[in-house]
Amino acid sequence: MLKYVATGDEYSKTNFLWGMTQERTGVKVNIELTSSTTASQKFPLIIASGEYPDIMNGVQSYYSGGLTKALEDEVIANLTDYIDEYMPNYLHWMNMTPSNAKESRLDDGSVAMIYSITMQVQPPFAGSMYRQDWADKAGLGTPETIDDWHTLLTAFKEYSTGEPMDFATWGADSANFFTGAFNVHVGMNFTSFFRQKDGVVEATINTNEYRQYLDTMAQWFREDLIDTDFISTPLMSAEHITKNEAGAFCSAFTVAGDFYAKLGADPECFFTCAPYPTLDGTERHIYYKGTTANALASGGVSLSTQLSEEDLKVAMRMLDWQFTEEGTIAGQYGKEGESFTFDENGHPFQTTMITANENGESSSTNQDLYMCNNTFGGKLIERETDVCDEPKKAHLTIWNSYGDWNMEGTLSYTPAEAEERAGLMSDASTYIGEFACKVINGTYTLDDATWNEYLDTLAAYKLDRIVEITQDSYTRYLAR
């Protein structure tokens, strides 16, 4: 029996895919669960115990130094020499696109992780939305520029019971919804702040474009256009929306249309997807996704070096079944006749048990019971849009833009690089985030003296060295 330590809830143990995987392959799996909130703390303890789980997820995030260091320390197995023979279905998905082939291997070509992979590059699935009913009352059309958004939010103050737009937590617009209009990228918690031009890496948080972004958001804050409690409020607060406080936010397409009206908001509440805005006189080069986006999902697993060679092969064959046609359908749709059926053309569709919660369970519970969204196997994009109404499907065209300055790909660092970079980034990202918040909320006035002091502090935090290490890794990534 194989031991798998997974991140999830109680339903992960009884998920239909895992039951069917064991039935089809004859391999038994003992699943031990850890919550997503404690996984990062528990993983080092598991490794320190000296007894590694046979199958483990999160190594790329939880192991200091990432996959490369985990291979070097002989914590996870190098699967390179086994993939062709024991995971032919996974290999097919790995090589489906050039970006998949790059992303699923380390810089030296090693295979250290079995990823969840989509059949195609997933279109941008998140962006900005606004209340169409409020825009209609104000006689305003679709906002397409930053100035349009300023006009829209100003008009929304007449209808909002609070500030009309929920804003990015800490001001880190990590998906580039608004920062991209300034050709700036800042990642979640300011742990990523780079762009690339023809393969040359640049920081964005020390540019005049970033200063203009901060100036703009500070103006919106002064004018009560964005949530004044943005430092602690989630990017999209359902409470703000149902109380008619927020009439604009950034989110996934699944809440477009009358989603919130059904949750108790104003019955007229109707959210429409808006295109990624541009800055007047500026060509936009950074979007939610880049032109070289890959088809790998966020989840996946690695295998332990403590497996015997025979058990390693057994585990790989078992996981490979999840990339077969049958395994992919099971992972994405669940059990035929219960959670999905096939139409006359052989296309799977979710049943009303999933779409209308006919068994009395919530949508999230039903998905946990029957589907493995991003953690295992192949992923079929159409499952997410098959059950969408037209307001939700509109995102496929409205948000269909890609940036040629985006830095795509999961970069690998040598153990020495990873250690040095992590130390530098920890202090720098904290300072960058605090500075952004204080500028936006008015604690700091962003004059030349304040900006120059900020640049000097970034230099003291060795921003140039952070960029240099990132450039070295990105160059290796491009050469994979």
Side-chain angles (χ1 to χ4, degrees):
M1 177 178 288
L2 297 173
K3 179 180 177 181
Y4 168 45
V5 173
T7 302
D9 54 31
E10 59 180 300
Y11 299 109
S12 301
K13 277 191 174 185
T14 55
N15 181 278
F16 176 75
L17 174 64
W18 275 108
M20 192 170 183
T21 299
Q22 295 177 76
E23 177 184 324
R24 289 289 190 267
T25 64
V27 180
K28 299 300 181 184
V29 182
N30 176 30
I31 301 176
E32 295 185 9
L33 298 175
T34 181
S35 71
S36 57
T37 56
T38 61
S40 60
Q41 290 81 36
K42 286 188 176 181
F43 186 85
L45 300 178
I46 293 173
I47 299 303
S49 73
E51 296 183 5
Y52 309 153
D54 301 321
I55 305 170
M56 42 189 153
N57 64 4
V59 177
Q60 75 280 15
S61 301
Y62 304 143
Y63 194 80
S64 178
L67 295 173
T68 300
K69 189 67 164 66
L71 278 181
E72 182 181 283
D73 292 347
E74 298 184 347
V75 171
I76 59 174
N78 191 330
L79 308 179
T80 311
D81 295 336
Y82 300 92
I83 284 288
D84 287 13
E85 183 173 356
Y86 299 102
M87 298 197 75
N89 294 291
Y90 177 65
L91 182 66
H92 170 74
W93 287 71
M94 281 176 67
N95 294 329
M96 191 175 294
T97 69
S99 58
N100 281 15
K102 279 182 182 289
E103 195 71 6
S104 56
R105 295 172 172 87
L106 300 181
D107 292 339
D108 63 359
S110 297
V111 178
M113 180 172 166
I114 302 165
Y115 290 87
S116 175
I117 305 178
T118 55
M119 184 172 283
Q120 64 196 65
V121 175
Q122 186 171 29
F125 60 86
S128 52
M129 299 185 191
Y130 65 98
R131 279 192 62 163
Q132 184 68 59
D133 54 309
W134 286 1
D136 291 343
K137 290 178 182 178
L140 296 173
T142 301
E144 297 182 351
T145 67
I146 293 297
D147 284 346
D148 289 345
W149 271 97
H150 182 266
T151 300
L152 184 80
L153 295 176
T154 301
F156 277 10
K157 291 177 70 175
E158 181 178 344
Y159 314 108
S160 168
T161 59
E163 295 85 28
M165 186 170 80
D166 272 358
F167 188 54
T169 305
W170 280 80
D173 183 12
S174 57
N176 306 318
F177 301 132
F178 285 93
T179 55
F182 299 82
N183 288 320
V184 166
H185 166 70
V186 286
M188 186 65 70
N189 299 322
F190 294 90
T191 54
S192 173
F193 39 75
F194 308 99
R195 65 189 179 197
Q196 62 78 34
K197 299 178 184 178
D198 296 324
V200 178
V201 176
E202 299 176 346
T204 62
I205 41 75
N206 59 340
T207 61
N208 288 329
E209 297 103 312
Y210 182 61
R211 179 176 178 177
Q212 187 178 7
Y213 165 74
L214 292 179
D215 261 334
T216 301
M217 294 303 109
Q219 176 192 345
W220 289 12
F221 184 93
R222 290 193 302 271
E223 297 175 2
D224 294 325
L225 301 183
I226 59 178
D227 180 19
T228 54
D229 195 28
F230 69 89
I231 293 176
S232 58
T233 302
L235 177 60
M236 178 192 64
S237 167
E239 181 181 5
H240 288 176
I241 297 162
T242 54
K243 288 183 177 179
N244 291 323
E245 294 176 358
F249 55 81
C250 298
S251 180
F253 67 89
T254 50
V255 299
D258 61 356
F259 178 87
Y260 282 105
K262 293 177 179 177
L263 290 184
D266 183 336
E268 295 182 355
C269 178
F270 192 94
F271 279 96
T272 296
C273 300
Y276 300 115
T278 57
L279 190 65
D280 287 342
T282 300
E283 183 178 356
R284 180 165 178 157
H285 293 278
I286 293 181
Y287 285 85
Y288 179 38
K289 289 195 173 189
T291 54
T292 58
N294 65 77
L296 271 66
S298 58
V301 297
S302 297
L303 301 179
S304 167
T305 52
Q306 294 180 352
L307 283 166
S308 67
E309 184 173 27
E310 187 56 39
D311 285 344
L312 179 70
K313 296 173 182 177
V314 168
M316 293 179 72
R317 287 194 190 99
M318 178 197 69
L319 292 170
D320 189 60
W321 178 83
Q322 296 182 350
F323 290 89
T324 64
E325 181 177 359
E326 183 182 32
T328 298
I329 295 296
Q332 294 297 289
Y333 288 93
K335 186 175 182 180
E336 184 179 1
E338 289 188 23
S339 57
F340 83 96
T341 59
F342 289 103
D343 66 13
E344 63 275 10
N345 298 316
H347 183 81
F349 274 91
Q350 296 176 25
T351 64
T352 51
M353 187 193 76
I354 299 293
T355 60
N357 311 325
E358 287 187 345
N359 61 349
E361 300 285 359
S362 67
S363 296
S364 59
T365 296
N366 278 326
Q367 294 217 7
D368 288 339
L369 285 169
Y370 285 96
M371 306 166 195
C372 284
N373 290 327
N374 290 322
T375 310
F376 299 99
K379 186 177 180 183
L380 305 175
I381 295 299
E382 59 266 27
R383 190 205 73 192
E384 299 179 354
T385 56
D386 278 345
V387 296
C388 288
D389 54 23
E390 289 307 312
K392 295 178 178 62
K393 285 185 178 179
H395 82 280
L396 292 170
T397 53
I398 294 174
W399 293 339
N400 191 31
S401 300
Y402 298 82
D404 58 343
W405 289 1
N406 288 56
M407 270 189 65
E408 300 287 287
T410 302
L411 306 188
S412 297
Y413 298 95
T414 67
E417 287 175 337
E419 182 178 2
E420 180 183 3
R421 189 177 186 275
L424 295 174
M425 284 290 289
S426 176
D427 292 336
S429 60
T430 299
Y431 170 71
I432 294 164
E434 291 175 350
F435 181 82
C437 290
K438 289 179 179 179
V439 169
I440 293 171
N441 70 16
T443 303
Y444 291 162
T445 299
L446 195 55
D447 53 22
D448 288 345
T450 302
W451 180 249
N452 289 333
E453 182 181 352
Y454 167 71
L455 295 181
D456 289 342
T457 305
L458 290 180
Y461 280 124
K462 298 184 179 181
L463 178 63
D464 287 347
R465 179 57 180 155
I466 294 173
V467 173
E468 182 182 14
I469 297 172
T470 306
Q471 176 70 72
D472 290 344
S473 179
Y474 190 61
T475 299
R476 293 194 301 268
Y477 170 80
L478 295 177
R480 286 182 191 174

